[in-house]
Amino acid sequence: MLRSDVRLKALLISLCGSANQSTSCLIFGNFREMDIFGLGNPLLDITATVDDDFLNKYSLPKNSAILAEPQHEAMYEEVINKFEIEYSAGGATQNTMRYCQWVVGKNNQVTTFCGAVGNDYFGKIMEKKAKTDGVNVKYLVVEEQKNTGTCAILLTDGGQSRAMCAYLGMSYVSHNSLSQCFLHL
């Protein structure tokens, strides 16, 4: 077995929990729907190249990752209106599902992701982006006053520096609440 194959198998074992059929299916190409399942906190990534003045305005140091505070609330709308942006489905677990799906190919859907979103525009964009990447998403749409979680990924210095500011929003609900996702699988 090649070293890269060993690394991939180790990654898949860590994702699947053991060297069971799911792992061998991924290694040898005998895929089944929902072989890889993720439960996590989805965030809509909003990526933009900004200037230093924008970072300073919101007290965001370069190469930082912070949780949004009240002073950052207006930042998301401003970055969308002022800069060219790119949306992507994010959050650690959802990113892992997107990566695994990319490895096996979009046409062979083996990943499913569950998480909570708000009933809003950002939730709809995130669902569209995740599905475009081939991930079967089963979002729990929560009808409360919090919005879908977002993460502003602000690039400077020609992409060499990055500041991340995450608003967790509805992504941060209890896993007991997320058990409702399983009813729709």
Side-chain angles (χ1 to χ4, degrees), residues 25-33 35 103-104 108-110:
C25 285
L26 287 170
I27 297 297
F28 300 110
N30 183 15
F31 305 109
R32 295 181 314 183
E33 187 175 345
D35 270 352
V103 168
V104 299
N108 198 358
Q109 189 175 62
V110 298

Side-chain angles (χ1 to χ4, degrees), residues 68 178 184:
L178 287 176
H184 304 289

Side-chain angles (χ1 to χ4, degrees), residues 39 140 173-183:
L39 176 67
L140 171 64
V173 299
S174 74
H175 289 299
N176 286 339
S177 298
L178 287 176
S179 64
Q180 294 178 36
C181 288
F182 295 109
L183 300 175

Side-chain angles (χ1 to χ4, degrees), residues 54-61 66-76 78 165:
F54 188 82
L55 293 182
N56 292 335
K57 178 179 181 179
Y58 290 102
S59 303
L60 296 169
I66 64 166
L67 291 177
E69 298 176 5
Q71 70 189 32
H72 300 114
E73 285 180 24
M75 177 189 64
Y76 298 94
E78 184 176 350
C165 185

